C-alpha cells in the first residue's frame, strides 16, 4: 500500500513540476512581450481611445477645463465646412490619380527589371526616392518646376512652349504634387512586385509558351493574374498613403504663394485645425471620418478580391 502511495505521489509531483514549467514558460513569454504591450497601450491604443472621446467634445489644449460634451456636433459640422469638403475632394482626386498610376508604373518597372541583368542595381536606384527625405524631394522639385527650371527649359528647347510656374499655378499645383508623389512611391511598390514575381512558377510560362503564348499574352494571362493579391496589397497601401498625404503637400504649400485651398488635403486640414487653431475635438472627429473612409474602401476591395477568388 505504501509502495502504491509513493508511486502516486511521484506521479503527482511530476505532474506538478510539468504544470509549473508550463506556467514558468508562459510567464517568461508574457514578461518578454510586456514592454511592447505597454508601449502599444500608452502610445497607440490609449491616444486612439482618448481622441475618440474628445471627438464628441468642444476641446482645446489651451483651455482643457472649458471642454464640454457636444455629441455629434463636430461630425455634423464637418460636412458643412467648405474647407473640409474641399480637402476631402482634393484628397479623393489625389487618391484616384496617384494610386492607379503608381501601381501601373511599379508593376511595369518590376516586370522590366525582372528580365534584365543588374537587377539589384536597378532595385536600389528605383527605391532611393522612397527613402529620400520628403523635404529634400520637395526642394529638388521646387527647383525643377520653377518658371525657369529644368522642365520648362526642356519644353522650350523641344517644343518652344513656355511652361507655367507649376507650384504657384491654381491649375498645375496639385497635379505637380501628384507627379512628385508618384515619383517617390513607385520604386517602393516596384520592390514588392519584384519579390512577388519570383514566386510565379516558371512552369506556367513554359506551359503557356507551348500553347503559343508570347510577349504581351504572357503578361496578360500569366503575370498580371498571378500578381492579383500583390496588387491588392499595393493598392491598399497606396490608398492608405494617399488619403494620409501630408508632409509633401505641407512643404510645397508652405513655399507656395497659392491660396491653400488649391492644395488642401484632409490630413493637412486636420493639422491646421488641431495644432494651429487648437480645435482638437473637431480635428479628432476629422481623423475618425478619415479612418472610416479608408476602412470602408479597404473592405470593398477585400470583398471584390474575395469574390474573384471564389
Amino acid at each position: 500500500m505504501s509502495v502504491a502511495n509513493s508511486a502516486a505521489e511521484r506521479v503527482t509531483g511530476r505532474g506538478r513540476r510539468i504544470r509549473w514549467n508550463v506556467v514558468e514558460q508562459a510567464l517568461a513569454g508574457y514578461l518578454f512581450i510586456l514592454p511592447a504591450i505597454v508601449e502599444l497601450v500608452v502610445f497607440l491604443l490609449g491616444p486612439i481611445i482618448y481622441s475618440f472621446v474628445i471627438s464628441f467634445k468642444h476641446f482645446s489644449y489651451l483651455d482643457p477645463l472649458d471642454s464640454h460634451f457636444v455629441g455629434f456636433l463636430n461630425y455634423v459640422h464637418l460636412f458643412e465646412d467648405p474647407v473640409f469638403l474641399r480637402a476631402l475632394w482634393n484628397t479623393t482626386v489625389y487618391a484616384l490619380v496617384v494610386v492607379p498610376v503608381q501601381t501601373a508604373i511599379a508593376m511595369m518597372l518590376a516586370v522590366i527589371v525582372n528580365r534584365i541583368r543588374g537587377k539589384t542595381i536597378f532595385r536600389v536606384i528605383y527605391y532611393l526616392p522612397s527613402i529620400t527625405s520628403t523635404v529634400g524631394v520637395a526642394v529638388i522639385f521646387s527647383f525643377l518646376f520653377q518658371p525657369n527650371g529644368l522642365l520648362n527649359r526642356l519644353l522650350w528647347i523641344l517644343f518652344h512652349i513656355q511652361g507655367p510656374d507649376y507650384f504657384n499655378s491654381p491649375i498645375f499645383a496639385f497635379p505637380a504634387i501628384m507627379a512628385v508623389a508618384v515619383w517617390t512611391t513607385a520604386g517602393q511598390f516596384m520592390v514588392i512586385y519584384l519579390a512577388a514575381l519570383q514566386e510565379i512558377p516558371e512552369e506556367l510560362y513554359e506551359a503557356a509558351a507551348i500553347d503559343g503564348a508570347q510577349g504581351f499574352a504572357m503578361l496578360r494571362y500569366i503575370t498580371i493574374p498571378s500578381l492579383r493579391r500583390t496588387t491588392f496589397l499595393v493598392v491598399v497601401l497606396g490608398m492608405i498613403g494617399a488619403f494620409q498625404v501630408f508632409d509633401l503637400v505641407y512643404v510645397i504649400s508652405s513655399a507656395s504663394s497659392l491660396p491653400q485651398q488649391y492644395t488642401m488635403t484632409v490630413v493637412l486640414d486636420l493639422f491646421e485645425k488641431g495644432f494651429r487653431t487648437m480645435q482638437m475635438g473637431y480635428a479628432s472627429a476629422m481623423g475618425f471620418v478619415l479612418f472610416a473612409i479608408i476602412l470602408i474602401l479597404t473592405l470593398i476591395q477585400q470583398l471584390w478580391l474575395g469574390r474573384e477568388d471564389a
Side-chain angles (χ1 to χ4, degrees), residues 205-242:
Y205 292 105
E206 293 173 358
I210 292 173
D211 290 339
Q214 293 179 351
F216 183 75
M218 293 271 198
L219 179 69
R220 168 71 178 82
Y221 296 106
I222 303 293
T223 305
I224 293 177
S226 300
L227 293 174
R228 189 172 59 251
R229 287 200 168 275
T230 305
T231 301
F232 171 73
L233 172 67
V234 167
V235 170
V236 169
L237 291 176
M239 188 187 64
I240 292 172

Side-chain angles (χ1 to χ4, degrees), residues 235-253:
V235 170
V236 169
L237 291 176
M239 188 187 64
I240 292 172
F243 272 93
Q244 293 181 335
V245 62
F246 170 70
D247 46 4
L248 184 64
V249 178
Y250 177 75
V251 173
I252 292 175
S253 299

Side-chain angles (χ1 to χ4, degrees), residues 150-308:
L150 179 62
L151 180 59
N152 282 349
R153 286 179 182 274
L154 286 175
L155 285 175
W156 180 255
I157 292 170
L158 296 176
F159 307 107
H160 289 282
I161 296 174
Q162 180 58 52
D165 185 359
Y166 294 93
F167 288 145
N168 290 307
S169 163
I171 298 174
F172 291 99
F174 210 56
I177 291 174
M178 289 191 279
V180 178
V182 169
W183 182 79
T184 55
T185 53
Q188 173 188 354
F189 294 128
M190 183 212 71
V191 173
I192 298 176
Y193 271 122
L194 205 53
L197 284 172
Q198 315 308 312
E199 300 299 321
I200 300 176
E202 197 61 34
E203 291 79 6
L204 288 178
Y205 292 105
E206 293 173 358
I210 292 173
D211 290 339
Q214 293 179 351
F216 183 75
M218 293 271 198
L219 179 69
R220 168 71 178 82
Y221 296 106
I222 303 293
T223 305
I224 293 177
S226 300
L227 293 174
R228 189 172 59 251
R229 287 200 168 275
T230 305
T231 301
F232 171 73
L233 172 67
V234 167
V235 170
V236 169
L237 291 176
M239 188 187 64
I240 292 172
F243 272 93
Q244 293 181 335
V245 62
F246 170 70
D247 46 4
L248 184 64
V249 178
Y250 177 75
V251 173
I252 292 175
S253 299
S254 301
S256 170
S257 60
L258 201 64
Q260 207 171 34
Q261 59 172 333
Y262 292 104
T263 54
M264 179 64 78
T265 63
V266 174
V267 179
L268 183 58
D269 190 25
L270 188 155
F271 173 79
E272 296 286 341
K273 297 292 192 322
F275 296 100
R276 290 196 190 278
T277 61
M278 294 297 169
Q279 304 173 65
M280 194 56 73
Y282 188 63
S284 297
M286 201 180 296
F288 278 96
V289 168
L290 181 63
F291 166 73
I293 291 171
I294 293 173
L295 180 64
I296 290 169
L297 291 176
T298 305
L299 290 176
I300 290 172
Q301 291 178 69
Q302 178 64 52
L303 288 174
W304 174 66
L305 182 67
R307 194 164 52 244
E308 279 203 340

